[in-house]
Amino acid sequence: MAVVKTVVVVGLQWGDEGKGKVTDLLASEAQMVVRYQGGNNAGHTVVVGDQEFKLHLIPSGILYPGTLCVLGNGVVIDPKVLLAEMEELAARGIDVSGIRISDRAHVILPYHPLLDRLEEDSRPAGKIGTTGRGIGPAYVDKYNRYDAIRMVDLVQPEVFKDRLAMVLERKNRLLREFYHHSGLDFQAIFDEYSAYAQRLRDRVVDTASLVNAAIDRQERVLFEGAQGSLLDVDHGTFPFVSSSNPGAAGVCAGTGVGPTKIRKVLGVIKAYSTRVGEGPFPTELPEQEVSLLRDGRGREYGVTTGRPRRCGWFDAVISRYSVMINGVNSLAVMKLDVLDHFTTIRICTAYRYRGELVKTFPSSLKMLAECEPVYEELPGWRRDTSSIKHYEDLPKEARAYLDRISELSGAPVDLVSVGWRRDETIVRRNVWE
Ligand code: IMP
């Protein structure tokens, strides 16, 4: 029987778990890295030597020469951002020739970020706190079907011209009549985006065939999730979510790879919790207590928007839920070193809701907002862990903390990150095996 060597890297919290670093580590052994959802709302930081790379759309595998980097059909592509990112990488000596884009992926056009911002501003209360990159409006067009433009349309000038003319007419009506905006100019968009199409044309292919062929050749294929499980439009803290399926199930729809071909789901989770944007966050610490996590080594500021991240203790109700909905069979615990200075560390094991103990993650935000975390306290290790290379060398309190996370979440801890750099990682088990 053929051996399938596929790993999905999926975030188990609200994004920013450190997926970029994990993907980068695993990509060194992969032939292909594939993104399956989201767009340039993502921000993945990868540190190589003394160089730091911030990637929004291009898979982190780009830093390895010879690795094919695929943007699957489930990704929404802003061609302007993609080309800018490619140029920036090329200027720093990175080979970008391995980038392939699905012909079925949907395109973000200038009216998408504009509508994203106008829609947010028009919401009197309960803003979603989007990144303003046009992600939601682009997915709305996809599911609405009529107004969508795919990469395959963009690269055919006649098709693009007709579709853009039709769609823009409708968008301008919406902009003028509902938002009192002056509207956007057809010719300017057509000229600019036709030039982008020209530059991207050769990379736009049937990526489902490409990825499946690689799997059939038994190559190592890594699926790189963006955002996190709690930002999943189906399973997250709706409506404070993104508009795609960052969960492992998103791989199948977002790449054209069947579920029987997915072998390992590596759940990436921070040793504590963070969240950007609005929405409930049961273990959130009050502003005056977050600095130990947010500043210093934590550096908890958004890669895409620079916003300070909200911070709190590890929430095992969430990790258990995310392990379940993704079928996680391996865990990467990130940023353990950020906890090095704490005397006592807390883990939320359940919520208390109106006197009752709740162990499953509620769908109702109203209920979630009323949930009080039930904490278990573990002793801190108060030692620098950043130079530790082997699991056995971690202080016993740190190992006890990781064991407890594993036990409460229901999956083994195979990777532990103790710093920003690639080599500040403890590999307990090879994820590819
Ligand atoms: P959108 O994806 O721009 O529509 O934003 C929807 C929500 O997802 C907001 O709360 C964003 O802050 C959040 N979000 C989107 N992408 C990321 C990410 O890569 N990391 C963390 N949060 C994200």
Side-chain angles (χ1 to χ4, degrees):
M1 210 176 85
V3 183
V4 176
K5 297 171 183 164
T6 48
V7 174
V8 182
V9 170
V10 64
L12 300 188
Q13 293 153 315
W14 283 285
D16 312 314
E17 296 92 350
K19 295 180 297 297
K21 175 175 167 174
V22 172
T23 310
D24 171 62
L25 260 170
L26 297 179
S28 64
E29 293 179 69
Q31 279 76 46
M32 189 180 271
V33 183
V34 187
R35 265 196 66 181
Y36 55 92
Q37 47 70 232
N40 59 305
N41 48 348
H44 290 166
T45 308
V46 184
V47 181
V48 186
D50 56 0
Q51 289 216 70
E52 184 171 275
F53 295 89
K54 289 188 192 301
L55 302 166
H56 297 283
L57 197 50
I58 298 177
S60 316
I62 198 69
L63 303 175
Y64 291 95
T67 308
L68 271 188
C69 287
V70 176
L71 298 169
N73 57 278
V75 180
V76 282
I77 315 264
D78 186 328
K80 185 178 185 161
V81 172
L82 175 58
L83 283 159
E85 203 163 292
M86 282 163 62
E87 265 171 25
E88 201 187 316
L89 286 169
R92 292 174 70 181
I94 305 294
D95 176 13
V96 293
S97 63
I99 297 172
R100 300 288 178 274
I101 308 155
S102 168
D103 47 6
R104 291 179 169 87
H106 286 247
V107 184
I108 297 183
L109 285 144
Y111 43 81
H112 290 125
L114 178 61
L115 284 168
D116 199 349
R117 286 189 286 270
L118 292 171
E119 280 169 14
E120 274 284 82
D121 291 346
S122 74
R123 290 174 184 130
K127 289 186 197 310
I128 291 171
T130 73
T131 59
R133 302 299 192 263
I135 308 298
Y139 279 115
V140 166
D141 282 350
K142 171 175 173 172
Y143 287 97
N144 191 31
R145 296 150 297 170
Y146 199 75
D147 294 325
I149 296 181
R150 296 185 299 165
M151 287 305 293
V152 67
D153 306 322
L154 181 75
V155 296
Q156 298 179 77
E158 286 311 312
V159 177
F160 180 47
K161 192 172 187 177
D162 288 351
R163 286 206 62 77
L164 182 66
M166 186 273 290
V167 174
L168 194 62
E169 210 259 320
R170 288 159 55 80
K171 295 291 177 195
N172 274 342
R173 247 178 22 224
L174 173 69
L175 285 169
R176 290 183 185 125
E177 287 169 24
F178 192 78
Y179 291 110
H180 310 294
H181 183 279
S182 55
L184 299 174
D185 180 57
F186 168 80
Q187 201 58 46
I189 300 179
F190 180 70
D191 291 346
E192 184 182 348
Y193 282 73
S194 296
Y196 297 150
Q198 180 69 25
R199 292 169 63 194
L200 292 173
R201 177 168 296 119
D202 291 347
R203 302 168 183 276
V204 177
V205 295
D206 168 11
T207 51
S209 297
L210 193 73
V211 179
N212 278 287
I215 295 173
D216 292 344
R217 286 195 301 273
Q218 301 189 18
E219 290 181 3
R220 288 180 171 176
V221 178
L222 188 65
F223 296 95
E224 175 179 6
Q227 291 85 48
S229 304
L230 295 186
L231 291 172
D232 189 292
V233 70
D234 284 285
H235 302 288
T237 45
F238 192 90
F240 300 104
V241 292
S242 196
S243 304
S244 67
N245 289 119
V251 169
C252 299
T255 63
V257 169
T260 51
K261 304 242 174 108
I262 307 296
R263 183 164 172 265
K264 190 159 273 187
V265 179
L266 175 66
V268 184
I269 194 152
K270 252 184 240 190
Y272 50 95
S273 307
T274 63
R275 171 162 208 179
V276 215
E278 308 303 318
F281 179 178
T283 62
E284 181 172 15
L285 283 165
E287 191 54 33
Q288 63 275 20
E289 288 176 36
V290 298
S291 74
L292 259 181
L293 292 173
R294 184 188 288 152
D295 301 313
R297 292 168 82 137
R299 283 164 63 186
E300 295 295 356
Y301 294 87
V303 177
T304 301
T305 58
R307 289 180 286 181
R309 294 178 184 144
R310 299 154 65 195
C311 300
W313 295 114
F314 188 90
D315 186 333
V317 179
I318 285 173
S319 64
R320 212 159 37 231
Y321 173 68
S322 294
V323 163
M324 174 184 79
I325 59 170
N326 289 297
V328 168
N329 48 10
S330 178
L331 281 173
V333 177
M334 312 302 287
K335 290 190 150 185
L336 184 74
D337 57 302
V338 175
L339 300 179
D340 283 355
H341 307 289
F342 287 83
T343 315
T344 305
I345 301 173
R346 299 175 117 189
I347 298 185
C348 164
T349 55
Y351 303 144
R352 195 170 298 286
Y353 175 70
R354 299 186 179 173
E356 300 282 325
L357 214 55
V358 176
K359 288 198 166 184
T360 52
F361 195 62
S363 58
S364 157
L365 293 198
K366 190 169 174 300
M367 174 174 171
L368 194 57
E370 278 186 54
C371 281
E372 292 286 324
V374 175
Y375 285 118
E376 182 175 291
E377 291 200 339
L378 278 81
W381 41 96
R382 298 180 61 82
R383 253 182 63 198
D384 179 14
T385 54
S386 63
S387 56
I388 293 176
K389 302 283 176 237
H390 302 285
Y391 194 82
E392 305 70 46
D393 297 336
L394 281 169
K396 69 173 191 320
E397 295 85 355
R399 278 182 279 132
Y401 183 62
L402 292 167
D403 286 348
R404 191 69 182 127
I405 286 179
S406 169
E407 185 182 16
L408 289 165
S409 310
V413 175
D414 290 341
L415 280 180
V416 183
S417 175
V418 287
W420 285 87
R421 294 207 326 263
R422 249 184 208 174
D423 59 357
E424 290 170 329
T425 312
I426 297 168
V427 181
R428 203 173 172 198
R429 250 173 247 112
N430 187 340
V431 177
W432 286 109
E433 280 162 10

